[in-house]
């Protein structure tokens, strides 16, 4: 399976892009000596001619944010958190959904169906927001530490994605169990766990990879939406910005993932649009490479069939 | 068509139970009562309280106007583009398909923000205001939100119709029609398009759900006062009501679509 996938050029390109992004993110800030900040711009006579934020024209390649931090550095630094968080959330979603759907069929409960029916009409970002806001209120009254906060937030994002997946999986499993060879396996006297392990899971596995990629895209988009809503993974802190005469409170994301970069300067959208557009285009490239991987998976599945 | 009212009611009941569970889960998890400082029929935006009725009707119709106009616009443009694409030679078709995959990967947020920023940029450079890009409370804008909301459905519908078209081109009835000496244009317009429309119906639910999510981000970025803004800012009972406002008409649409599709399947089985 893996060897066949690696022969698909589209899959390879997408895969290499994501892997190199993660590797670069780990290597770039630590090994290479980079200039992380430039708050002021001087001319030849050491006179200040400009203050952050700088546009990509003044400060190539991507410009700086409101505090003068280089966006290239911020984006590369944030890549590892964003992609790893996405992968963990996606993996847990698939895992729990599979776990539940194996039991769901027997219990015949309509609990998941009801929730799935309702979530069709509520955008996922609103759903996540509903759960996140009480969490922040609770965190403000009794602080729980950054690590626990991240874990709870990830669990929320996992929980939101599970019910629709459960209904997809249980439909899939139902259709597999209806196949002729499964019926004959049962009539030959095999037990249920054996059939699930030996027949159902292998048949699901090709679909699982595809679903994993699609879920990863959805998680990335959800993270971007939450960033705009100023809900940051890892929490935020409010600091006072500006000079003494013009203090304005600003929320700052603590974990530096891409959605946080978007969210903390979202109010400055029209004065410095590149701060938002650079991380967003990185989101777009990541999603595009996942889409390429999906295309590759589909191609290899088709060639497998014929 | 075999639309049954009882199955619609059953669906509504399941939606109601689902929304109830969802709206009370946060307070169960975190032990914070949702109704602490709120009356039942109120929502807050930036610490100001507004009453839910009769505001919600107005906002609902505003959002739905944007939604359905965008959908219609997207569908028309997608069909037009597909028609134009069929006239292209084969290698260019492949390139178009690849380009569509690239466009499809753009997050909705990216498109909304990029369009808004570029409109402002054009205004700054030339002084030409294409359309208002942000709504104030009483000042409703239509043109720009509709345009923005229709971009992604157009791309998706274009991709779907493009694929369906490719599949349809290889079917025997096309070969027969060609053998009869009918023109390419005539076949595409009269036969292929009609068949595609019925298949396109199957994807409508996905596109509707996808567009609802887009509508939310659109309303937030453009600062429109629509139904999604209310949904974001309410809790408890008024949240349930807001969701039902969207759920009741849309679930009706889905029910009609599914019964229509069921009818199609029955027809196919009869034919076979």
């Amino acid at each position: 399976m893996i060897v066949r996938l690696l022969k698909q050029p589209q899959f390879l390109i997408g895969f290499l892009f994501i892997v190199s992004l993660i590797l670069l993110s780990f290597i770039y800030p630590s090994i290479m000596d980079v200039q992380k900040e430039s708050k002021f711009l001087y001319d030849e006579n050491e006179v200040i001619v400009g203050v952050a934020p700088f546009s990509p024209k003044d400060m190539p390649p991507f410009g700086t944010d409101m505090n003068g931090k280089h966006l290239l550095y911020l984006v590369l630094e944030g890549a590892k958190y964003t992609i790893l968080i996405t992968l963990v959330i996606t993996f847990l979603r698939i895992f729990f959904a599979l776990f539940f759907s194996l039991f769901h069929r027997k219990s015949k409960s309509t609990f998941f169906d009801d929730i799935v029916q309702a979530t069709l009409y509520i955008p996922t970002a609103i759903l996540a927001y509903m759960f996140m806001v009480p969490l922040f209120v609770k965190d403000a009254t009794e602080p729980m530490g950054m690590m626990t906060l991240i874990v709870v937030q990830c669990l929320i994002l996992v929980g939101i994605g599970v019910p629709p997946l459960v209904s997809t999986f249980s439909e899939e499993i139902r259709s597999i169990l209806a196949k002729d060879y499964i019926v004959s396996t049962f009539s030959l006297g095999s037990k249920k766990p054996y059939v699930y392990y030996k027949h159902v899971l292998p048949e699901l596995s090709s679909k699982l990879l595809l679903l994993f990629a699609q879920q990863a895209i959805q998680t990335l988009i959800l993270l971007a939406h939450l960033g705009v809503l100023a809900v940051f993974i890892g929490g935020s802190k409010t600091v006072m910005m500006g000079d003494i005469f013009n203090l304005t409170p600003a929320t700052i994301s603590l974990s530096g993932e891409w959605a946080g970069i978007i969210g903390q300067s979202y109010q400055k959208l029209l004065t410095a649009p590149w701060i938002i557009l650079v991380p967003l285009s990185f989101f777009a490239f990541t999603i595009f490479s996942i889409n390429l991987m999906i295309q590759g998976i589909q191609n290899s599945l088709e060639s497998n069939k014929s | 068509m075999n639309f049954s009212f009882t199955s619609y009611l059953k669906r509504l009941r399941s939606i109601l139970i689902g929304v109830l569970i969802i709206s009370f889960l946060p307070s169960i998890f975190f032990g914070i009562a949702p109704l602490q400082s709120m009356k039942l029929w109120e929502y807050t935006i930036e610490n100001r309280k507004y009453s839910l009725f009769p505001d919600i009707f107005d906002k609902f119709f505003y959002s739905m106007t944007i939604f359905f106009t965008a959908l219609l616009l997207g569908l028309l443009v997608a069909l037009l583009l597909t028609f134009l694409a069929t006239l292209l030679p084969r290698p260019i078709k492949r390139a178009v398909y690849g380009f569509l995959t690239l466009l499809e990967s753009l997050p909705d947020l990216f498109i909304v923000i990029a369009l808004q920023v570029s409109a402002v940029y054009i205004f700054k450079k030339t002084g030409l205001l294409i359309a208002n890009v942000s709504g104030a409370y009483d000042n409703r804008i239509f043109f720009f939100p509709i345009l923005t909301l229709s971009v992604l459905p157009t791309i998706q519908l274009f991709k779907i119709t493009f694929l369906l078209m490719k599949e349809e081109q290889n079917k025997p009835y096309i070969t027969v029609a060609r053998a009869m000496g009918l023109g390419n244009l005539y076949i595409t317009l009269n036969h292929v398009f009609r068949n595609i429309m019925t298949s396109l119906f199957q994807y409508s639910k996905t596109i509707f759900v996808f567009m609802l999510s887009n509508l939310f981000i659109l309303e937030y970025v453009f600062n429109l006062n629509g139904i999604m803004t209310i949904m974001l800012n309410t809790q408890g009972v008024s949240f349930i009501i807001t969701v039902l406002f969207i759920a009741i008409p849309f679930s009706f649409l889905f029910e009609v679509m599914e019964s229509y599709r069921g009818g199609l399947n029955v027809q196919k089985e009869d034919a076979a």
Side-chain angles (χ1 to χ4, degrees):
Chain A
M1 178 83 190
I2 291 168
V3 177
R4 222 182 312 118
L5 270 181
L6 289 182
K7 278 181 190 161
Q8 295 286 338
Q10 287 152 321
F11 182 85
L12 210 60
I13 293 170
F15 186 70
L16 281 182
F17 179 78
I18 290 178
V19 168
S20 55
L21 203 58
I22 296 177
L23 282 182
L24 210 61
S25 163
F26 275 109
I27 294 168
Y28 179 77
S30 56
I31 291 183
M32 279 178 240
D33 192 28
V34 283
Q35 192 192 2
K36 291 173 187 171
E37 251 185 59
S38 37
K39 264 199 157 154
F40 305 105
L41 197 66
Y42 302 95
D43 64 356
E44 310 87 65
N45 309 324
E46 301 277 309
V47 178
I48 295 174
V49 289
V51 190
F54 296 112
S55 70
K57 229 187 272 167
D58 300 333
M59 207 57 87
F62 292 141
T64 69
D65 76 347
M66 301 308 290
N67 301 327
K69 287 204 177 108
H70 284 241
L71 270 177
L72 178 70
Y73 165 74
L74 282 181
V75 165
L76 281 181
E77 173 79 19
K80 55 180 175 236
Y81 300 115
T82 318
I83 294 175
L84 289 182
I85 284 177
T86 310
L87 287 181
V88 167
I89 289 174
T90 316
F91 177 76
L92 286 179
R93 274 186 186 182
I94 300 269
F95 178 78
F96 281 118
L98 206 58
F99 182 77
F100 280 125
S101 54
L102 289 181
F103 294 98
H104 180 51
R105 226 184 59 77
K106 268 181 268 172
S107 63
K108 207 61 179 157
S109 86
T110 57
F111 178 74
F112 280 114
D113 292 332
D114 289 343
I115 289 186
V116 168
Q117 281 291 334
T119 47
L120 277 182
Y121 310 99
I122 310 172
T124 26
I126 293 186
L127 209 58
Y129 187 77
M130 276 177 58
F131 284 92
M132 293 287 190
V133 168
L135 181 67
F136 285 132
V137 173
K138 198 177 164 100
D139 186 48
T141 49
E142 37 191 290
M144 50 175 87
M146 189 162 159
M147 239 16 241
T148 9
L149 193 65
I150 291 181
V151 169
V152 175
Q153 278 175 328
C154 285
L155 282 181
I156 289 173
L157 293 183
V158 168
I160 286 166
V162 166
L165 269 180
V166 168
S167 77
T168 321
F169 277 139
S170 31
E171 228 161 78
E172 204 65 50
I173 290 175
R174 215 167 291 152
S175 78
I176 290 173
L177 285 182
K179 284 188 177 171
D180 285 343
Y181 80 95
I182 300 280
V183 177
S184 34
T185 320
F186 272 127
S187 54
L188 283 174
S190 51
K191 294 256 174 4
K192 246 186 180 168
Y194 175 81
V195 171
Y196 274 130
Y197 182 71
K198 207 76 187 172
H199 296 300
V200 175
L201 281 183
E203 206 153 314
L204 267 180
S205 67
S206 58
K207 274 259 165 63
L208 276 183
L209 206 57
L210 215 56
L211 269 173
F212 186 88
Q214 281 163 352
Q215 283 294 317
I217 291 178
Q218 282 182 12
T219 315
L220 276 174
I221 291 177
L222 179 60
L223 280 180
H225 284 186
L226 284 178
V228 170
L229 291 176
V231 172
F232 304 131
I233 302 296
S236 60
K237 73 173 181 212
T238 309
V239 291
M240 286 306 180
M241 299 263 291
D243 46 56
I244 6 171
F245 304 109
N246 184 20
L247 277 177
T248 43
T251 39
I252 287 189
S253 150
L254 292 177
S255 72
E257 35 95 39
W258 293 342
I261 305 174
I262 295 172
Q264 67 192 8
S265 28
Y266 177 69
Q267 301 303 330
K268 305 288 188 309
L269 172 62
L270 294 178
T271 44
W274 60 88
I275 306 177
I276 318 283
L277 286 176
V278 167
L280 261 182
S281 29
F282 269 83
F283 266 117
F285 273 120
T286 316
I287 290 172
F288 177 59
S289 44
I290 297 175
N291 265 336
L292 278 181
M293 284 165 76
I294 289 179
Q295 202 101 73
I297 296 169
Q298 272 168 345
N299 283 350
S300 84
L301 284 182
E302 264 166 38
S303 66
N304 193 19
K305 259 181 209 160
S306 57
Chain B
M1 294 287 266
N2 46 355
F3 176 73
S4 82
F5 198 66
T6 34
S7 84
Y8 175 55
L9 283 183
K10 219 178 256 175
R11 188 188 280 250
L12 271 188
R13 191 197 63 184
S14 138
I15 291 168
L16 189 63
I17 296 172
V19 177
L20 266 175
I21 295 170
I22 288 170
S23 64
F24 287 108
L25 267 185
S27 43
I28 294 170
F29 280 164
F30 303 111
I32 295 164
L35 304 172
Q36 263 175 353
S37 59
M38 258 196 170
K39 284 185 191 145
L40 286 181
W41 313 108
E42 272 180 349
Y43 64 97
T44 39
I45 296 178
E46 289 173 356
N47 297 324
R48 281 231 197 111
K49 286 186 182 166
Y50 302 96
S51 82
L52 198 60
F53 292 104
D55 275 18
I56 191 166
F57 293 104
D58 199 25
K59 288 178 177 177
F60 174 71
F61 285 115
Y62 176 52
S63 290
M64 289 302 113
T65 319
I66 290 177
F67 186 90
F68 283 103
T69 325
L71 184 67
L72 220 64
L73 186 70
L75 190 62
L76 281 180
V77 175
L79 286 180
L80 196 71
L81 285 177
T82 322
F83 179 66
L84 289 178
T86 47
L87 304 175
L88 291 172
R90 195 168 286 259
I92 300 182
K93 270 188 200 171
R94 270 190 73 107
V96 168
Y97 186 72
F99 187 58
L100 279 179
T101 318
L102 175 65
L103 281 184
E104 208 186 25
S105 311
L106 293 177
D108 44 2
L109 190 63
F110 183 85
I111 288 179
V112 173
I113 287 182
L115 279 177
Q116 194 185 26
V117 167
S118 51
V120 171
Y121 184 75
I122 290 172
F123 176 64
K124 271 186 190 163
K125 283 279 145 169
T126 64
L128 173 74
L129 188 62
I130 301 169
N132 236 339
V133 291
S134 180
Y137 192 78
D138 288 327
N139 172 24
R140 299 221 146 144
I141 53 173
F142 286 95
F143 178 73
F144 213 68
I146 289 172
L147 190 75
T148 317
L149 189 59
S150 67
V151 171
L152 271 177
T154 307
I155 295 167
Q156 283 199 329
L157 284 169
F158 185 25
K159 200 177 171 190
I160 294 169
T161 45
F162 196 76
L163 281 179
L164 287 174
M165 197 76 128
K166 224 157 114 197
E167 249 172 56
E168 208 74 13
Q169 295 285 2
N170 299 327
K171 285 192 177 162
Y173 78 95
I174 299 286
T175 322
V176 173
R178 218 165 260 160
M180 282 167 70
L182 299 176
N184 217 344
L185 198 69
Y186 178 82
I187 297 172
T188 320
L189 278 182
N190 247 341
H191 297 291
V192 178
F193 257 67
R194 273 191 214 170
N195 286 329
I196 283 179
M197 286 308 277
T198 46
S199 323
L200 203 58
F201 226 59
Q202 293 182 6
Y203 295 93
S204 47
K205 193 171 175 181
T206 331
I207 286 176
F208 270 54
V209 171
F210 172 73
M211 272 184 78
L212 275 178
S213 169
N214 282 3
L215 180 69
F216 160 64
I217 220 63
L218 182 87
E219 282 187 6
Y220 189 82
V221 173
F222 280 164
N223 198 20
L224 311 177
N225 273 291
I227 187 106
M228 289 295 173
T229 320
I230 300 186
M231 201 197 272
L232 182 69
N233 291 300
T234 48
Q235 286 162 322
V237 179
S238 38
F239 174 76
I240 296 172
I241 291 170
T242 322
V243 174
L244 286 183
F245 253 87
I246 291 178
I248 289 171
F250 274 90
S251 57
F252 183 75
L253 276 179
F254 292 162
E255 191 71 40
V256 169
M257 279 165 197
E258 263 162 39
S259 64
Y260 180 71
R261 200 164 73 203
L264 272 187
N265 288 343
V266 170
Q267 272 177 18
K268 266 183 198 158
E269 275 164 27
D270 284 349

